[in-house]
Amino acid sequence: MQSIRDYDISTFRSDAVAGITVGVILIPQAIAYALLMGVPPIYGLYACLIPLILYAFLGTSRQLSIGPVAVTAILVMSGVSQLAKPFTTEFTNLVVFAGLLIGILQIFMSVLRMGFLVNLISQPVISGFISAAAIIIIISQLGSSLGMKIPDFKYAYENVWYVIQHINAIHLITFIICIVSITLMLVFKKWKKSFPGALFVLVVATGITIAFDLNNLGVAVIEEVPSGLPEFGIPTMSYDSMMALIPSVLTVTFIGYVGSIGIAKSLEMKNRDHTIRPNQELLALGLAKVIGSFFQAIPSSGSYSRSAINDEAGGKTAISSIITVCMVIISLLFLTSYFYYIPKAVLAAIILVSVFGLINYKEARYLLTLRRREFIVMIITFFGTLVFGVELGIFIGVILSYIFLQYYSSKPHVAELVNIPETTYYRNINRFPEASQSSNYLIIRFDDQLYFANTSYFKDTILSHINKRKVKPNFFILVCTNMHDVDSTGLHVLEDIHQYLEESRIQLLITGAIGPVRDVLKRAGFTDRLGVHHYFMNIEDAVRYTENEESHQDTFEAAVQFNNKRSFLD
C-alpha cells in the first residue's frame, strides 16, 4: 500500500512487463514442481494464486517471487512419501495439510519474534544440503527424462544403479526430447535470462507431440488437467498425520524461510528502495501457506531464479506479482485443455535446468580455502543427505556444525601478549617473536566468553604459561577485551586462579573488562575481593602500575563501572 501512494503509469508499465515475464516462466515451472512434489500438476498452479496475492500485500520485499520451488518440492515429497503413495488423493491431502502446518509454525515464529532461529543453520550446512538435494532431484527425474519406469527405491543411488542395469530400456524419442529441451533452454538462458525459454520449449514440444502423435509412440504426457479455479475447502487433518509430518514440517519451515529471506535480503541490498523485516516476512509467508491451503495450494517458497528475473525485467513493486496471478488465472480458465499433451520429458528438462545451478561446487572450493572445518561440515552434510535422505542429512549437518562450534569454543584462542619495541602496542608473542618479554609481568588475552565448557582449558592454559617461566612474574595481567560474558562456573574458576596467584605472591590485574563482565564480577563480589585498584582500562595503564604501584593508587572509575539494572534472565 505504501508503494501505491507514489504509483504512476511508468511504474505500472515496468511491473506489467515483469509480471507477464515471471508468469510465462512460472506456469511451466509450477506444473513441473507439482509433479516433482508427487501431486497432480494443477496443484502447482493453485499454489500460484492465493499465496502470491497474500504475499504481495503482507510481504516486505518488492521483488521476491514466491511459488513452488524445487528444494521445497523434494523435501515435501521425501517426507510425505513415507506416509502415502505419490499422486494419490491421500498423498495430495497430506501435502496440503503439510502446507497448513508449515504456515502455522511460521506465523507462530513471527508472533514470538523468532526469526533469529534460522541462524541456527549455518551457511555450509545449507550449501551442502541444497547441493545434495539438487542431485537427488536430478536422479528423481531419470524416469521421466529417459522414458523408463523405475521402481520406488528408498535411496537415490538405487535409482542410478537400476538405470545402469536397464540401460537398454531407455525410450529413445523421450530421451531426445529431454536432451533437446535442455539444450534449447540453456541456449536461451545464456542469450537472454528474461526470455521465457521454458515456455517456448514446452509449447513447441507439445505441438510436435500433437502433430506426430508421439504419445501413442510411447512418449509419456501429463494427460487430463482440470480447468477452473480452486474451490474453498478445509484440508483433511488428523493428529496422527500431524505428528508424522512434524520432521518434514520443521525442515521445510527453516529451509524455506532461510532461502526466502536470503533472496529478499540480496534484492534489498541491490535496489536499496525498501527494507526487509524478517518477522514480517515470516508472517507473510505463513499466512500465504495457511490461507492457501484452504484453496488447495501446495507449500511454496521464494524462488531465486524467478525473483531475479522479476527484478531484471523491471519489477518495482508487488503489483508485478498480482499481474503474474492474472496470467495463472487465464491459464486455469482457458488453457488447461492444451496441457494434456505436454510431454513429461519437457517438464523433467525444466526441473533439471533449474537445479543444475544449485550444485554449489564454488562454495566448496571457497570454504576449503577459507576454513577447512566449514568445508568438512558442508561435505559431510552433502554426503549425509545423499546417503540418508534430506531430513536426516540436514540434521547431521546441524549437529556436526554445533559439535565443531562447541569444540572450538571449549578450546578458544589464548595469546600471551608482549610489547612491540618502541611502541605502546602489545601483540601475540607467536606472531611477533622479536618483541620484548618482561620478567616482571605476564599478559594473557582470552578470546572468548568464560563459561562452563572452557573453564578447565582457561585455568590449565594460565597455569601452564606461569609454570613455563623460569622466574615467576610478580604480576599477572588478564586482558578481558575479548571476553564478552562470564557464567557462574567461570567465576568459580576465576576465584581459584586468584587464590593460586595470591598463594604464589603474584598480583592479578584485569584490563579492558567490558560492561556485562564488570556487572557480573561486581554482583559476585569479585571486584571488591580483588580490589578496585587492580582494574584498568587498557594494558598500558596496567603495565605502568607494575612499574610503579605508588603512582597508580587512584582508581579510574570507568574501569570498575557497573549497572544494577539487568534483564530477567541475566
Side-chain angles (χ1 to χ4, degrees), residues 325-436:
V325 172
C326 294
M327 295 282 294
V328 177
I329 290 173
I330 292 171
S331 298
L332 284 168
L333 293 177
F334 306 109
L335 302 178
T336 54
S337 60
Y338 299 101
F339 293 167
Y340 184 98
Y341 291 99
I342 295 177
K344 289 184 178 180
V346 174
L347 298 176
I350 292 171
I351 293 172
L352 292 174
V353 170
S354 299
V355 302
F356 282 151
L358 297 178
I359 304 174
N360 202 347
Y361 63 90
K362 290 182 179 179
E363 180 74 5
R365 191 167 55 193
Y366 170 72
L367 290 177
L368 182 61
T369 304
L370 178 68
R371 182 160 287 181
R372 290 175 185 171
R373 64 173 179 261
E374 295 194 23
F375 171 78
I376 293 171
V377 169
M378 179 180 177
I379 293 301
I380 292 179
T381 303
F382 175 80
F383 285 107
T385 303
L386 282 181
V387 175
F388 300 110
V390 288
E391 286 99 348
L392 193 55
I394 196 168
F395 178 76
I396 290 171
V398 170
I399 294 299
L400 184 63
S401 62
Y402 276 88
I403 288 174
F404 272 116
L405 176 65
Q406 195 66 24
Y407 174 77
Y408 283 97
S409 183
S410 67
K411 293 185 176 182
H413 183 255
V414 179
E416 178 183 348
L417 305 185
V418 290
N419 178 244
I420 298 177
E422 300 181 3
T423 73
T424 58
Y425 299 118
Y426 293 83
R427 294 293 183 267
N428 190 340
I429 191 172
N430 294 326
R431 291 178 179 267
F432 297 89
E434 73 282 0
S436 58

Side-chain angles (χ1 to χ4, degrees), residues 10-21:
S10 63
T11 306
F12 175 75
R13 191 180 298 114
S14 297
D15 282 341
V17 172
I20 293 170
T21 303

Side-chain angles (χ1 to χ4, degrees), residues 271-501:
N271 295 299
R272 300 183 184 280
D273 58 354
H274 61 285
T275 301
I276 300 300
R277 300 192 299 276
N279 287 301
Q280 177 66 22
E281 284 293 294
L282 269 173
L283 179 64
L285 293 168
L287 281 173
K289 290 182 181 67
V290 169
I291 299 178
S293 68
F294 289 91
F295 293 90
Q296 304 172 57
I298 58 178
S300 56
S301 300
S303 166
Y304 182 81
S305 60
R306 294 195 298 270
S307 298
I309 289 169
N310 185 31
D311 182 55
E312 291 171 5
K316 303 296 183 184
T317 72
I319 296 296
S320 62
S321 292
I322 303 297
I323 295 170
T324 298
V325 172
C326 294
M327 295 282 294
V328 177
I329 290 173
I330 292 171
S331 298
L332 284 168
L333 293 177
F334 306 109
L335 302 178
T336 54
S337 60
Y338 299 101
F339 293 167
Y340 184 98
Y341 291 99
I342 295 177
K344 289 184 178 180
V346 174
L347 298 176
I350 292 171
I351 293 172
L352 292 174
V353 170
S354 299
V355 302
F356 282 151
L358 297 178
I359 304 174
N360 202 347
Y361 63 90
K362 290 182 179 179
E363 180 74 5
R365 191 167 55 193
Y366 170 72
L367 290 177
L368 182 61
T369 304
L370 178 68
R371 182 160 287 181
R372 290 175 185 171
R373 64 173 179 261
E374 295 194 23
F375 171 78
I376 293 171
V377 169
M378 179 180 177
I379 293 301
I380 292 179
T381 303
F382 175 80
F383 285 107
T385 303
L386 282 181
V387 175
F388 300 110
V390 288
E391 286 99 348
L392 193 55
I394 196 168
F395 178 76
I396 290 171
V398 170
I399 294 299
L400 184 63
S401 62
Y402 276 88
I403 288 174
F404 272 116
L405 176 65
Q406 195 66 24
Y407 174 77
Y408 283 97
S409 183
S410 67
K411 293 185 176 182
H413 183 255
V414 179
E416 178 183 348
L417 305 185
V418 290
N419 178 244
I420 298 177
E422 300 181 3
T423 73
T424 58
Y425 299 118
Y426 293 83
R427 294 293 183 267
N428 190 340
I429 191 172
N430 294 326
R431 291 178 179 267
F432 297 89
E434 73 282 0
S436 58
Q437 185 184 61
S438 172
S439 60
N440 187 36
Y441 56 79
L442 168 64
I443 306 175
I444 293 293
R445 190 187 69 217
F446 188 74
D447 294 335
D448 200 354
Q449 62 176 324
L450 182 59
Y451 74 121
F452 66 91
N454 60 27
T455 50
S456 295
Y457 181 75
F458 172 74
K459 182 177 181 179
D460 293 343
T461 304
I462 287 176
L463 297 183
S464 174
H465 276 85
I466 293 173
N467 293 329
K468 279 194 298 186
R469 291 287 185 97
K470 293 180 180 178
V471 178
K472 286 189 177 181
N474 296 314
F475 298 90
F476 176 77
I477 303 174
L478 179 62
V479 182
C480 298
T481 51
N482 296 339
M483 187 186 295
H484 58 86
D485 195 14
V486 181
D487 70 359
S488 59
T489 311
L491 278 167
H492 284 302
V493 170
L494 205 56
E495 292 276 12
D496 291 344
I497 291 172
H498 180 214
Q499 184 177 350
Y500 170 81
L501 293 174

